[in-house]
């Protein structure tokens, strides 16, 4: 009886520690997103743009293939200004001023990454009466008044592994987050439009000892304790 009580208390202690660690690991403000640094590329119907995401202690490479109207890799107009549509409880900083890929037709386009990216964010500019159909599910993180105006968007599950981000009014600007790790992302646009643009980013890779890492170990311990309790 005493041994059973101790096992029960152990389960409670493990759960409490896990919760405390997760809450203490939460940032007091929105986390920094490391946005893509687009380096070079070609425009046109068969464009290709290479870039990197510079994380602390690690660099991810990425490549965009598909139609592009123009690309900006340094200098030029800051279409991410104002920052309002791109900053939220999940995203602490807007994309950098110089980097954007502009697109204008409905053809298929693809982003590929050197390794799967968890918490992939896509920021978009001026989705005027248009929409994107992605092959990965996502959530809408934020929208607001951007460089070209304001507007609203919705997410729709189209079935067949297609998920649509669709403008429902005016000139939406904002950010979406893909729900699962992404190694390759493809999408089409609903209509030809001259033009709308995007870039992508992600959080830093979780450090050893973070809630994500410790949580796995604690949940394993909890599972062991529960199995012992049932036996």
């Amino acid at each position: 009886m005493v041994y059973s009580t101790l096992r029960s208390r152990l389960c409670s202690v493990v759960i409490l520690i896990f919760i405390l660690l997760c809450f203490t690991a939460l940032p007091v403000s929105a986390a920094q997103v490391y946005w893509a640094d687009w380096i070079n590329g070609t425009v046109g119907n068969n464009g290709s743009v290479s870039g990197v995401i510079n994380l602390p202690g690690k660099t991810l490479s990425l490549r965009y293939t598909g139609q592009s109207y123009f690309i900006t890799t340094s200098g030029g107009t800051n279409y991410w200004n104002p920052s309002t549509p791109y900053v939220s409880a999940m995203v602490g900083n807007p994309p950098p001023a110089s980097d954007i890929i502009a697109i204008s037709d409905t053809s298929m386009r693809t982003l590929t990454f050197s390794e799967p990216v968890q918490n992939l964010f896509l920021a978009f500019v001026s989705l005027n009466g248009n929409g994107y159909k992605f092959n990965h599910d996502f959530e809408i993180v934020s929208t607001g008044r951007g460089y070209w105006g304001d507007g609203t968007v919705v997410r729709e599950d189209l079935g067949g592994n297609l998920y649509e981000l669709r403008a429902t009014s005016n000139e939406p600007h904002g950010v979406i987050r893909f729900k699962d790790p992404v190694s390759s992302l493809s999408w089409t646009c609903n209509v030809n439009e001259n033009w709308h643009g995007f870039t992508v980013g992600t959080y830093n890779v979780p450090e050893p000892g973070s809630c994500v890492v410790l949580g796995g170990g604690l949940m394993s311990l909890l599972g062991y304790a529960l199995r012992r309790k049932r036996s």
Side-chain angles (χ1 to χ4, degrees), residues 4-221:
S4 175
T5 301
L6 288 174
R7 286 201 302 268
S8 179
R9 289 178 178 175
L10 174 62
C11 292
S12 299
V13 169
V14 169
I15 293 172
L16 178 61
I17 292 173
F18 177 68
I19 293 172
L20 288 174
L21 282 170
C22 285
F23 274 101
T24 56
L26 289 175
V28 294
S29 60
Q32 179 178 355
V33 169
Y34 295 85
W35 296 101
D37 176 14
W38 297 109
I39 299 172
N40 55 60
T42 57
V43 299
N45 292 334
N46 297 300
S48 177
V49 189
S50 61
V52 295
I53 298 177
N54 292 308
L55 303 173
K58 186 174 187 177
T59 299
L60 302 177
S61 60
L62 63 157
R63 178 172 292 275
Y64 168 84
T65 54
Q67 185 268 344
S68 58
Y69 183 68
F70 70 82
I71 59 174
T72 303
T73 60
S74 62
T77 302
N78 180 11
Y79 293 110
W80 307 110
N81 180 47
S83 62
T84 307
Y86 314 108
V87 177
S88 65
M90 294 184 70
V91 178
N93 54 300
S98 62
D99 287 63
I100 191 170
I101 298 177
I103 54 182
S104 59
D105 75 10
T106 61
S107 62
M108 179 72 72
R109 57 205 81 240
T110 300
L111 278 170
T112 54
F113 300 87
S114 55
E115 63 180 83
V117 178
Q118 181 74 49
N119 291 310
L120 177 66
F121 293 92
L122 184 144
F124 59 92
V125 168
S126 185
L127 200 62
N128 182 18
N130 212 330
Y132 297 156
K133 293 185 177 73
F134 296 101
N135 65 342
H136 283 269
D137 197 7
F138 65 89
E139 63 176 335
I140 298 170
V141 174
S142 60
T143 58
R145 178 169 294 277
Y147 188 90
W148 296 109
D150 202 357
T152 56
V153 292
V154 295
R155 171 202 167 276
E156 291 190 9
D157 185 346
L158 303 179
N161 198 37
L162 282 178
Y163 306 90
E164 182 181 24
L165 173 71
R166 180 167 50 84
T168 54
S169 68
N170 302 328
E171 290 272 12
H173 299 63
V175 175
I176 63 175
R177 183 189 73 90
F178 293 93
K179 296 181 178 181
D180 298 315
V182 175
S183 56
S184 178
L185 174 70
S186 295
W187 74 101
T188 58
C189 304
N190 290 350
V191 296
N192 294 329
E193 179 201 349
N194 185 23
W195 54 271
H196 41 101
F198 76 93
T199 193
V200 292
T202 187
Y203 295 140
N204 190 21
V205 176
E207 296 292 336
S210 69
C211 181
V212 174
V213 176
L214 289 175
L218 286 169
M219 291 306 291
S220 296
L221 179 59

